[in-house]
Amino acid sequence: MPEDEPGHAASDDAEVPICPGCMTENDPAADFCVKCGQPLSTMATTDPFRQTLSIGCWYRTAASGRIPPIVFWTTWLLLIPTGGFLMSAVLESFFAPAVEPSVGLRIVRFLICGGLLVAYIVLLYRMTANYRAHRRAERDSGE
């Protein structure tokens, strides 16, 4: 039997997935790291439900983990134009002349675009505070 061979147990230990983000050993069937939540399998990035969790890992890392400067500045460059579009949609739904068929539609658009705009502002604020704190800690430890 192959289970009784001495080399078989060593091959089982080699198959334990290790998270590339935090180096934690995980269950072989796990799609996400148990410690940091980073995606570990291709199923985590292709399944529609798990794909949203994979994207959430990026947001959690941006808001709390150490991020490289290129990721920080790219996020700002990508979210600022989108935030400007959302701001214009909020202002248009609030101040535009009443050419739309219902006030309810304007309120729904105002709430959706306004909520997304607030979420963008919160993400950029938390990411910036996190980035500055890590830069300050690196600078203080280097002195």
Side-chain angles (χ1 to χ4, degrees), residues 97-118:
V99 293
E100 294 179 6
S102 71
V103 175
L105 182 63
R106 295 172 84 189
I107 292 172
V108 168
R109 184 172 49 181
F110 175 77
L111 292 175
I112 290 173
C113 292
L116 286 172
L117 184 63
V118 168

Side-chain angles (χ1 to χ4, degrees), residues 37-100:
Q38 186 165 353
L40 297 174
S41 69
T42 56
M43 184 61 139
T45 56
T46 57
D47 179 41
F49 176 71
R50 291 183 179 136
Q51 187 176 17
T52 58
L53 296 174
S54 297
I55 294 169
C57 178
W58 178 81
Y59 288 114
R60 286 188 302 276
T61 302
S64 62
R66 184 190 174 284
I67 52 175
I70 187 75
V71 173
F72 174 76
W73 292 110
T74 303
T75 304
W76 266 97
L77 289 173
L78 290 175
L79 290 184
I80 288 297
T82 310
F85 170 75
L86 288 172
M87 177 66 89
S88 68
V90 166
L91 293 175
E92 179 184 332
S93 65
F94 193 66
F95 294 114
V99 293
E100 294 179 6

Side-chain angles (χ1 to χ4, degrees), residues 6-19:
H8 185 71
S11 67
D12 285 343
D13 292 338
E15 294 177 7
V16 174
I18 296 178
C19 174

